[in-house]
């Protein structure tokens, strides 16, 4: 029983940041697509900025993924 | 992944990375071996298509040093892209992407961060580069270390995580499912090199390259930046 509960610790480390990042990415992508449809001339620039900001959000989740992987190796 | 593969993983990563580099060198030689013509055709067109984006990017950073910045960015991009795309090869040991082994992304991130400092030193002089590291605050050094960590962890997390998921799925369901995961993995495999290159370009732009020590004694830094790519400034003026 205890082992089964311990398995959930890395999951708990990883899931809340993933949910938060999903909301952040929703905001980023919807805003970027809105901007692209309003001004197709700068669509390329907006796409690049969108990629960079998504990468910055995603990096935080990946830190959590690394921590979760380390914990998964421990328990 | 068998135990022997796991033990040999560093060597596999090194050999695969060297293979990718060798293939890229040969491709680059082939694409640019002939004398270049004004009207590009075939191979020259391909090479120009690949390099165009980097030339545009580095022109936006500093118009005077495109020849220094563009090859740096293009090398990083092509190395990472081809390393990631190794995952779709159906050859047993060769299909382990070197970027899925943490040391390779760490090395690439170190090259990126140190290369930004080296480019700054080359363009603006060593003093300006050293000043950029410790001024306005010595905590900039911590920032450089964080850049290294975040760049390498991002690349490793995306590619290594995808590879791990593919391996686990292949153990659980050997047919069908791994193909779906591999095709989904193509998205991070192509987006991550773009992100890595864009962030390196951002660090270079943030180090205010071209605005340093040689600002006053040359016209290079005073060339106005062109309107960004698709003529936004022009349309606004009209």
């Amino acid at each position: 029983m205890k082992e089964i509960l311990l398995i959930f610790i890395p999951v708990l480390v990883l899931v809340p940041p993933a949910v938060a990042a999903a909301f952040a990415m929703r905001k980023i992508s919807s805003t970027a697509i809105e901007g692209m449809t309003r001004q197709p001339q700068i669509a390329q620039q907006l796409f690049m900025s969108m990629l960079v900001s998504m990468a910055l959000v995603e990096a935080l989740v990946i830190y959590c993924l690394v921590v979760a992987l380390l914990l998964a190796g421990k328990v | 992944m068998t135990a022997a593969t796991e033990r040999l993983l560093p060597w596999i990563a090194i050999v695969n990375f060297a293979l990718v580099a060798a293939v890229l060198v040969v491709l680059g030689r082939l694409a640019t071996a002939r004398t270049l013509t004004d009207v590009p055709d075939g191979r020259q067109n391909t090479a120009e298509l690949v390099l165009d984006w980097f030339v545009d990017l580095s022109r936006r950073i500093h118009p005077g040093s495109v020849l220094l910045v563009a090859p740096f960015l293009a090398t990083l991009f092509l190395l990472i892209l081809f390393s990631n795309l190794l995952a779709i090869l159906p050859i047993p040991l060769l299909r382990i992407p070197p970027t899925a082994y943490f040391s390779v992304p760490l090395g690439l991130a170190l090259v990126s961060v140190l290369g930004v400092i080296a480019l700054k030193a080359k363009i603006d002089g060593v003093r300006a580069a050293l000043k950029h590291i410790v001024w306005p605050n010595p905590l900039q050094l911590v920032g450089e270390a964080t850049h290294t960590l975040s760049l390498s962890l991002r690349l490793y997390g995306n590619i290594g995580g995808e590879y791990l998921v593919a391996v686990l799925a292949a153990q659980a369901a050997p047919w069908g499912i791994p193909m779906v995961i591999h095709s989904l993995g193509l998205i991070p495999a192509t987006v991550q090199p773009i992100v890595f290159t864009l962030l390196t370009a951002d660090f270079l732009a943030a180090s205010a390259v071209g605005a340093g020590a040689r600002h006053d004694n040359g016209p290079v830094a005073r060339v106005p930046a062109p309107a960004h790519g698709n003529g936004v400034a022009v349309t606004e003026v009209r």
Side-chain angles (χ1 to χ4, degrees):
Chain A
M1 187 62 195
K2 198 183 163 202
E3 287 79 23
I4 296 175
L5 284 181
L6 279 179
I7 289 173
F8 280 97
I9 293 178
V11 178
L12 285 181
V13 169
L14 188 52
V15 167
V19 172
F23 277 100
M25 282 185 164
R26 180 201 68 170
K27 177 81 176 163
I28 291 171
S29 55
S30 67
T31 317
I33 291 171
E34 202 174 304
M36 283 180 206
T37 45
R38 275 169 202 262
Q39 275 193 306
Q41 309 100 311
I42 57 168
Q44 197 115 38
Q45 275 169 274
L46 279 182
F47 184 68
M48 287 299 162
S49 315
M50 185 184 85
L51 282 187
V52 169
S53 18
M54 279 205 171
L56 293 179
V57 170
E58 190 193 49
L60 299 176
V61 191
I62 285 171
Y63 297 153
C64 297
L65 172 73
V66 171
V67 171
L69 284 179
L70 287 177
L71 281 178
K74 285 265 166 62
V75 295
Chain B
M1 191 160 30
T2 60
T5 318
E6 207 158 337
R7 204 176 61 244
L8 288 177
L9 200 55
W11 294 104
I12 294 172
I14 291 173
V15 169
N16 284 357
F17 199 57
L19 270 178
V20 168
V23 166
L24 277 177
V25 167
V26 170
L27 279 183
R29 278 305 290 179
L30 282 182
T32 57
R34 309 175 295 170
T35 48
L36 303 179
T37 51
D38 279 348
V39 183
D41 60 323
R43 281 182 288 178
Q44 190 186 341
N45 220 341
T46 315
E48 285 182 7
L49 182 77
V50 173
L51 287 180
D52 189 47
W53 185 61
F54 304 104
V55 171
D56 193 40
L57 198 64
S58 42
R59 190 175 287 140
R60 265 187 245 165
I61 295 171
H62 183 217
S65 49
V66 173
L67 280 180
L68 275 177
V69 178
F72 177 61
L73 297 179
T75 310
L76 278 178
F77 175 83
L78 290 174
L79 263 179
I80 298 172
L81 178 69
F82 276 62
S83 306
N84 293 348
L85 288 183
L86 275 192
I88 59 169
L89 286 183
I91 306 168
L93 285 180
L94 199 65
R95 69 160 185 222
I96 298 176
T99 33
Y101 183 67
F102 182 63
S103 297
V104 176
L106 185 63
L108 283 167
L110 275 177
V111 166
S112 155
V113 168
L114 294 180
V116 165
I117 298 174
L119 279 177
K120 171 90 175 156
K122 180 98 175 163
I123 295 169
D124 289 335
V126 178
R127 275 189 64 185
L130 290 180
K131 190 182 163 193
H132 161 67
I133 295 176
V134 293
W135 192 87
N137 194 332
L139 282 179
Q140 294 265 85
L141 273 174
V142 182
E144 302 288 333
T146 319
H147 285 164
T148 317
L149 204 64
S150 73
L151 275 179
S152 58
L153 275 183
R154 179 179 300 118
L155 187 58
Y156 167 69
N158 276 283
I159 309 303
E162 191 267 329
Y163 179 70
L164 198 66
V165 169
V167 167
L168 289 178
Q171 279 173 359
W175 294 288
I177 307 290
M179 204 170 69
V180 178
I181 291 176
H182 271 306
S183 44
L184 280 179
L186 282 180
I187 301 169
T190 42
V191 167
Q192 284 313 306
I194 298 178
V195 166
F196 197 97
T197 317
L198 270 181
L199 284 176
T200 309
D202 272 4
F203 297 155
L204 200 59
S207 75
V209 77
R214 290 189 199 159
H215 184 66
D216 293 329
N217 53 9
V220 175
R222 291 171 188 263
V223 177
H228 287 297
N230 29 30
V232 181
V234 179
T235 23
E236 277 171 3
V237 169
R238 277 176 198 160

